[in-house]
Amino acid sequence: MTPPAASLTWAQLRDLKCAELEGAADGWGKASNRADAGRDRIEKQLLNGLRETQRGAAADAAVGRLRQLGKNLQYVYTECGLVRTALNSLAHEMRAQQRALRDALDDADALRFTVHADGSVTYPEAGESLVDGKPLAGGTASVTSAPGLLPPSGLVAPNPNTAKAQDIADRVTKAVRTAAEIDWRFAGILRELKAEEGLKVPDRTWTDAAGDAADVRDAARGYLKSGIPLDASPAARKAWWAGLTDEQREEYLAVYPDQIGNLDGIPALVRDTANRDNLQLLIGKLDGLEGEEAETKLAGLREIDRQLSAGRQPPMYLLGIGDEGNGRAIVSFGNPDTARNVSAYVPGLNTSLDEDFARNDLKRARDTAIGTQQHDPSSAGIVWLGYDAPQSVDGFDSLDVMGDERAERGGGAFNRFMDGISVTNEGEDPHVTAIGHSYGSRTVGAATQEGGGIPGVDDIVLVGSPGVGVDRAEDLGVGKDHVFVGAAENDVVTKLPSKQQSAVGAAVWMTGPVGSYLVGDLADQGDDDLWFGKDPASEAFGARRFPVGDGPKLVSGNGLSIDAHSQYFDPDRDASSANSIALVAAGQSNRLRAEEYR
């Protein structure tokens, strides 16, 4: 769709009061802030008070209504914030065209040219005729259809003012036409920023809000996006955010919650605020799409949203959320910026943004946080799905789980995140633990091999590991006495054969972990090499092995089971392992019991 013919005049552009647009934007900003304050009061005061003091059907109904009101206020906050940024961006762009117009008018005034209402420019006589020596006649430079783009005629105008007048006419015309296009573009966006009638905000309204946010982001690209330090270090990003005014921060949160919420180096409270808003926009976006992938991610997002609304302890902080690749989600139980102890758990094979992740992987981080807080209340536990973990297809392993590429890409992203955690933590020297489970242990291993290792990490825990890419614990960069390993006797992943055992290679591809374990158990015969290097639970690797439960056998009267691979964090199914992880995360590894090496 193209804009209509411009009806704006240069006099109207010259006299436009951009400050009035910015004043209107401030009003919408105040409305947005009031909605945000109301939502915050509901979530942090009213809901918590009801849950702690009231029980029964009436209390449940009140909680439900308060949650709905909170959602409504969140929508008001988002839409009013978008209106504010649209108006500020409109003022920003129009002011640029005003400057261009005023520069042209000033040049005309200095030359004593006359700029007419239609943009044409009259210039006086000047120069001398080569024929009779008299001054050359003046004239009028007309408005062209394409300012500045007319080809030369091949004739040189005798009056030196002719070219100057045409340049001024072109600049005036270009400024006016550009301003008219800007006005038309933003008018369309502002007309769409409206809600349906009624007091409820259903999912379809968030679908519209996701489109509104995309439109405003597109229109305001020069106004805000260019200022986001995407390529800067986490420390530089923290300094950038600290240097913004409150109004600037509010606009970034309203229009770019996805960028701010996923920017390492931004404080956890800010990321949580941004990502909670972005979560609703993502739910709206995916709810408007068809297909299995959208449905799978939508189920995961809704489960995360449910848990965020439940108000459980430790408090949840949404440090990252996105639908790129297999999905992204980073959740902390406890504030990592104020905790003395911070652990970050990296999941592995088959992890993606789905309902299983939202239930089970979040529970692992929560169990770890709760267990760690029993040893030191100032503790936070994070689950980090910031990369595309390998996926199994129809029961068979993909080639990705057999290779290192995803781990190496994920390791770089994990390091950037951990650098951000180190930068934003308010303590002098927080105790930080990286935890890798399954293929996630390979990702943690890859992270340690980048320059300087994993930023801020003191201890590393490896559970259910098929190897980490190095053959010695001391190669992980924290000292071998700070590398801890849990490997259940019946966990098939911790007994995958090495790549060098070629007789097993075909079984790995054809039958997956179960088949490779069964064949490899025959082929290994005392070899302590696993798929990604030396067995972390072996004496040759040199880590500190802690006791864990054996877990269910692979083959029993109940059939096949690989549950031994998934219960390391569960205090009910494997209390010994869960408590060992918590002791390390609390910086109290001196209390660990040692387990014999394999």
Side-chain angles (χ1 to χ4, degrees), residues 233-235 237-238 263-267 271 337 414-425 455:
S233 68
R237 292 167 178 172
K238 179 185 178 183
L263 203 60
D264 299 323
I266 301 298
R271 292 181 72 163
D337 288 354
F414 184 61
N415 277 354
R416 290 189 290 275
F417 172 75
M418 296 305 288
D419 193 9
I421 291 295
S422 296
V423 165
T424 58
N425 188 279

Side-chain angles (χ1 to χ4, degrees), residues 76 129 390 405:
V76 172
S129 170
E405 183 179 355

Side-chain angles (χ1 to χ4, degrees), residues 352-384:
S352 63
L353 180 55
D354 57 16
E355 190 169 4
D356 179 74
F357 165 82
R359 290 185 181 276
N360 295 320
D361 287 281
L362 264 65
K363 181 181 183 300
R364 290 172 182 170
R366 183 170 184 265
D367 284 342
T368 299
I370 292 172
T372 308
Q373 288 179 359
Q374 290 174 354
H375 301 296
D376 185 342
S378 182
S379 301
I382 299 169
V383 54
W384 182 84

Side-chain angles (χ1 to χ4, degrees), residues 528-550:
D528 57 13
D529 286 331
L530 298 183
W531 189 260
F532 292 113
K534 196 69 67 180
D535 180 0
S538 69
E539 184 174 5
F541 190 79
R544 295 172 62 183
R545 188 181 180 194
F546 55 81
V548 303
D550 289 345

